[in-house]
Amino acid sequence: MAQTVGGGRNKLWSSARLAVADISDGAVVLVGGFGDVGVPFRLLDALAAHTARGLTVVSNNCGTGERGLAALFKAGLVSKACASFPSQSGNHHFKAAFDRGEVELELIPQGTLAERIRCAGAGLGGFYTRTGFGTELADGHQTREINGVRYILELPLRGDVALISADVADEAGNLRFRRSARNFNPVMAMAAGLTIVQVNRIIPVGALDPDDVHLPGVFVDRLVELTSP
Amino acid sequence: MSPKAGWALDEIAARIARDLEPGSCVNLGIGMPIRVGAHLDPAAGVILTSENGLIGIGPPPEPNRHDPDVIDAGKGPVTLLPGASVLDHADAFALIRGGRLDVGVLGAFQVSQRGDLASWRRPTEPLGSVGGAMDIAVGARKRYAVMMHCDKSGEPKIVQYCTYPLTAPRCVNRIYTDMAVIDVTEQGLVVREIHPGLSLADLRAVTGASLLPLAAN
């Protein structure tokens, strides 16, 4: 048999339910997506049914309607949310949990959220940014002037688990994303101890040209195809 | 008594569209700013970008023809022009903070006379949403704020000092409202243009900071 990257280590999981079953209470879960685009709905629905409690979710938004993140808030499974834009319309389950005092919110500027996650994935200890300087979101942050510009220190944000949505994967876990569904997914996939990906379509290893891979499979632990239960 | 004359939202958007340099790279914020896109002259080649990684946004899609994976910062459906490209979120904000974004058009609750911007939380609400506004406010080479001149209760939104939490201090270069176009300068707020139905005195009556007339030179 011809040699392939990863030697055919099996990353394919037969169901979303099994793929998320070992997420434990109190886990920090990075969740890809922006609005409803690029959100790993299947994995989130499985997580809501699995009922790990006291989760910290890191996501740009806090879910809309009844599915996905909204289902986690509805089920009372989240104790903290790290987000840049939690107050979008249709977020009634997050809003209710926030108003009841069940959920702590860490509001993070969107670019800082993305860069803190990137920083964790890149093995860095933090970064200085102008974003937020002179605002209440800089409270408690170290500041520093570099070449006459004032910055605040931001620290990496790492996940125990990343729940990711991608368009195409090969069996080695190499991923391609589609249009604005890419958003936070690649940086989050690089910044967690366990990266679980729901994917529209899985193709044989070698079917993706190396130059066309958006995220190499070394960052991917588990794949669930959307046709799976 | 507040004057009634004012531009409609699409007239404000068209005014902003005219001020965008051909070929410039522009980010339109959620709310009023996003309207600007529909008023751009395609021949001007303004490059519309979105914080969620799209570069080269085109006109809105035809009804029932939208691609669910192609949305802008306001989560509404958009299209991509030939030559468009996609970045992940970290790189999309590298573009914003790194000096490649020529203009950021931002919605606002308040703007102060020295250009402080407040746009992400009303003091009466515990829950705010900052999105990409703080990054765009420090990262774009020029920052335009767009808002109604007064709030719903008639209070001025251009003020000496912001009473709402800041998005960024000293960042706004120009303010577009339904009543005027005002530049933030070292000397203070300079009225560049005023709705034809209003006098400078009318405008001053609904503005919470000093306004300077455009120097006649």
Side-chain angles (χ1 to χ4, degrees):
Chain A
M1 188 181 155
Q3 187 180 356
T4 61
V5 173
R9 176 190 157 205
N10 189 12
K11 297 183 177 182
L12 275 52
W13 286 61
S14 59
S15 78
R17 184 178 60 81
L18 293 172
V20 304
D22 55 354
I23 296 178
S24 55
D25 290 354
V28 177
V29 184
L30 311 181
V31 181
F34 180 84
D36 287 340
V37 172
V39 175
F41 281 107
R42 180 70 66 84
L43 299 177
L44 287 167
D45 289 348
L47 184 58
H50 158 58
T51 69
R53 312 191 73 84
L55 299 173
T56 292
V57 296
V58 179
S59 166
N60 188 62
N61 305 97
C62 286
T64 59
E66 304 300 316
R67 289 195 63 199
L69 281 172
L72 296 185
F73 289 111
K74 184 181 182 182
L77 305 179
V78 182
S79 60
K80 182 177 177 183
C82 301
S84 90
F85 206 88
S87 64
Q88 73 184 123
S89 61
N91 69 344
H92 42 275
H93 287 306
F94 164 74
K95 187 74 169 43
F98 180 78
D99 289 344
R100 286 195 300 269
E102 285 173 16
V103 177
E104 177 194 347
L105 173 68
E106 183 178 352
L107 189 71
I108 304 172
Q110 198 172 130
T112 296
L113 178 63
E115 192 63 18
R116 286 181 61 187
I117 296 163
R118 197 198 71 83
C119 215
L124 301 175
F127 62 97
Y128 287 97
T129 180
R130 290 169 292 154
T131 303
F133 189 96
T135 78
E136 66 181 49
L137 295 193
D139 290 351
H141 289 244
Q142 275 184 38
T143 63
R144 182 167 172 182
E145 188 169 313
I146 303 171
N147 296 330
V149 180
R150 295 183 298 179
Y151 297 88
I152 64 173
L153 176 64
E154 293 284 359
L155 300 179
L157 181 50
R158 189 170 179 79
D160 298 311
V161 184
L163 302 183
I164 300 303
S165 169
D167 185 37
V168 179
D170 71 12
E171 290 159 340
N174 294 309
L175 301 185
R176 286 182 60 79
F177 303 93
R178 189 170 177 280
R179 306 294 191 250
S180 58
R182 189 182 310 195
N183 58 57
F184 283 91
N185 283 299
V187 282
M188 286 181 168
M190 294 171 69
L194 174 68
T195 294
I196 308 171
V197 182
Q198 74 165 53
V199 61
N200 292 331
R201 192 161 55 95
I202 297 178
I203 59 178
V205 68
L208 282 177
D209 186 277
D211 286 329
D212 289 340
V213 172
H214 293 156
L215 186 81
V218 288
F219 298 108
V220 173
D221 298 297
R222 299 176 185 176
L223 291 169
V224 178
E225 197 168 19
L226 270 185
T227 51
S228 305
Chain B
M1 195 189 87
S2 67
K4 294 287 181 231
W7 289 300
L9 291 181
D10 279 310
E11 291 175 305
I12 305 170
R15 177 68 177 77
I16 297 170
R18 284 202 301 279
D19 283 355
L20 298 174
E21 299 277 339
S24 59
C25 182
V26 174
N27 181 296
L28 303 176
I30 297 174
M32 288 172 72
I34 275 182
R35 287 173 175 261
V36 173
H39 296 275
L40 290 169
D41 175 4
V46 169
I47 301 166
L48 285 186
T49 65
S50 186
E51 64 192 14
N52 55 329
L54 298 182
I55 300 172
I57 293 172
E62 290 169 34
N64 305 319
R65 292 288 303 274
H66 75 275
D67 179 335
D69 284 339
V70 183
I71 63 164
D72 63 13
K75 283 85 176 177
V78 291
T79 58
L80 293 173
L81 294 172
S85 51
V86 180
L87 294 172
D88 70 42
H89 242 88
D91 285 348
F93 278 87
L95 183 151
I96 288 168
R97 290 185 305 257
R100 290 288 180 177
L101 184 62
D102 295 306
V103 180
V105 185
L106 293 143
F109 293 147
Q110 289 182 326
V111 178
S112 81
Q113 59 189 0
R114 62 170 205 173
D116 296 346
L117 172 69
S119 69
W120 65 275
R121 183 170 68 80
R122 292 184 172 86
T124 50
E125 292 170 5
L127 188 60
S129 274
V130 64
M134 285 191 182
D135 303 278
I136 295 164
V138 303
R141 297 162 72 93
K142 284 187 198 162
R143 287 79 52 184
Y144 296 164
V146 51
M147 61 185 184
M148 301 306 284
H149 206 85
C150 298
D151 68 17
K152 282 175 181 146
S153 57
E155 291 297 314
K157 297 175 72 167
I158 299 175
V159 293
Q160 273 190 295
Y161 303 100
C162 291
T163 53
Y164 286 28
L166 291 191
T167 304
R170 293 182 185 274
C171 63
V172 176
N173 303 112
R174 182 174 288 178
I175 309 165
Y176 293 86
T177 77
D178 52 326
M179 297 184 182
V181 180
I182 296 169
D183 280 343
V184 182
T185 73
E186 287 297 313
Q187 289 70 41
L189 299 174
V190 176
V191 180
R192 286 194 67 82
E193 191 175 328
I194 189 164
H195 188 277
L198 297 172
S199 68
L200 185 59
D202 291 334
L203 194 66
R204 283 178 166 148
V206 290
T207 304
S210 297
L211 295 178
L212 302 169
L214 190 62
N217 56 1

